[in-house]
Amino acid sequence: MRGSPVTREVGRTTRDLRRHNRTSVLTRLYLHGPASRFDLMKATGLSSATVSNVVTGLVADGLVAEAGLLDSDGGRPRTLLEVRPGYAQVVGVDIGETHVQVGLFDWTLDTVATATYPMDEGRPDPGVLAELVRAGIEEVTAKAGADPAALLGVGVGVPGAVLPDGLVHAPTLGWADVPFDALLRPHVPAPLHLDNCARTLGQAEMWRGAGRGAERAIVGLLAVGVGAAVATGSPGGVTSTTSEWGHTVVEAGGALCRCGSHGCLEAYVGADAILERYGRLAGLPEPAAPGRELPEDAGAASGRPSGRGADTEARLAALVADAALPGPAADTVRATAEYLGIGIANLINLLGPDRVILSGWVSAAMGPAMLPAVRDAARRHTLDYLAERTVLELGRLGPEQVALGAATLPVHELLTAGGR
Ligand SMILES: [Zn+2]
């Protein structure tokens, strides 16, 4: 029997309210770890009866489990609750400029298995990449003995902008208006989520990495391309938006950028730009430093190796090792740190974050050697009162950070839906 419009409306409102309450409790447990029913009441503002009801439902659904007892001063010990890692698994895919990495994670983002495929072409074919994603999902689920059809979802991070219709603009891949969402969908056995990898990495740093507890964090992704996410944390979760930080200008009339402009940050601190500078300072022969290619400079199409892939990562690692002693490598690290510091100072002056986090594979490779000089440069170019309240540090998510960031996409949807 169908109810009246009024009772249908009430039914919908009740459902919305129930979902909202489940989202509040689940997100609190997911982001901040074990808590008692009493803690959850305080954190969410829900009544004791509502929290009890919601917890009972979440436990029955397998999302949450009891995690021992907590002594409370004088009173009855309180039962702690936590999210259950075994509830579901997710896949995160890093479509990088140098490699494709597919990671299988439990839904609390602990790594279960990974598969990495180096990319040697400067401009990868989107269809070939979609095939690689399918192979990667098969490989990681087979390694872990997991059923691909049971995955909660597959998140894919791309180094570019994802438009609402699923078209991807990724200058570092040479992609303009590529219908990557439609190309991927037939290859993916679970709900597909596609987004910019700087945004998802920012979300992951806020959830599980160096951004935890920050009010407003800027997470810079340093790779061949350079991007940044602006992430705002609140007790209810994290919102993050992407920005084209790499194409903000740090030197008027400066180096030519692949976007066609001059003096962009990416033309100084992107991986290719760093290697090009090193090649110039060290007087290396041209092929050792292929540098940035403009779309019309069809390196791959002309059959010339693009120098991408594992080679780029290996050469950057060698540069960092050489930089321990004075010389061209150390000079390159110093110059990179100065430009990066200027780029960071611009962000701080503009947005006043409490934390800036440097992430991405270039940051993982160069960060430890470069961080003191980056901090120094950022400080010199930032207004004192802003510099004093901003912490600058390296990301803490480990080698599969971008894949892990992509894996936050299906999890975010689960949390938003109240775990259903
Ligand atoms: Zn640019």
Side-chain angles (χ1 to χ4, degrees), residues 26 34 42 52 65 76 92 95 176 239 264 283 311 361-362 388 404 418:
L26 191 58
K42 281 194 300 186
S52 278
R76 240 172 2 124
I95 305 285
T239 50
C264 295
D311 185 43
W361 70 265
V362 168
E388 273 158 23
L404 191 143

Side-chain angles (χ1 to χ4, degrees), residues 246-249 255-267:
H247 301 283
T248 56
V249 173
L256 178 61
C257 179
R258 66 165 59 80
C259 75
S261 178
H262 288 262
C264 295
L265 181 65
E266 187 174 301

Side-chain angles (χ1 to χ4, degrees), residues 68-157:
L69 295 171
L70 178 72
D71 275 336
S72 59
D73 331 320
R76 240 172 2 124
R78 294 190 177 123
T79 305
L80 279 178
L81 299 150
E82 66 182 0
V83 291
R84 246 189 86 238
Y87 171 72
Q89 291 183 328
V90 292
V91 161
V93 181
D94 166 14
I95 305 285
E97 301 107 337
T98 55
H99 61 252
V100 170
Q101 185 174 58
V102 178
L104 178 69
F105 306 89
D106 71 40
W107 78 292
T108 65
L109 301 178
D110 277 340
T111 307
V112 178
T114 58
T116 308
Y117 310 99
M119 272 160 40
D120 294 324
E121 292 301 317
R123 218 167 311 173
D125 178 76
V128 172
L129 279 192
E131 285 280 352
L132 214 51
V133 171
R134 182 186 52 75
I137 295 172
E138 280 174 10
E139 186 178 335
V140 293
T141 49
K143 271 185 192 168
D147 174 11
L151 292 170
L152 183 64
V154 174
V156 178

Side-chain angles (χ1 to χ4, degrees), residues 20-93:
H20 175 264
N21 293 344
R22 280 174 61 106
T23 294
S24 300
V25 170
L26 191 58
T27 302
R28 168 63 183 72
L29 287 172
Y30 188 86
L31 293 184
H32 303 284
S36 68
R37 286 174 178 79
F38 183 72
D39 298 331
L40 291 169
M41 225 172 77
K42 281 194 300 186
T44 61
L46 298 173
S47 73
S48 150
T50 303
V51 166
S52 278
N53 268 336
V54 168
V55 165
T56 302
L58 294 173
V59 169
D61 291 346
L63 285 147
V64 167
E66 294 190 350
L69 295 171
L70 178 72
D71 275 336
S72 59
D73 331 320
R76 240 172 2 124
R78 294 190 177 123
T79 305
L80 279 178
L81 299 150
E82 66 182 0
V83 291
R84 246 189 86 238
Y87 171 72
Q89 291 183 328
V90 292
V91 161
V93 181

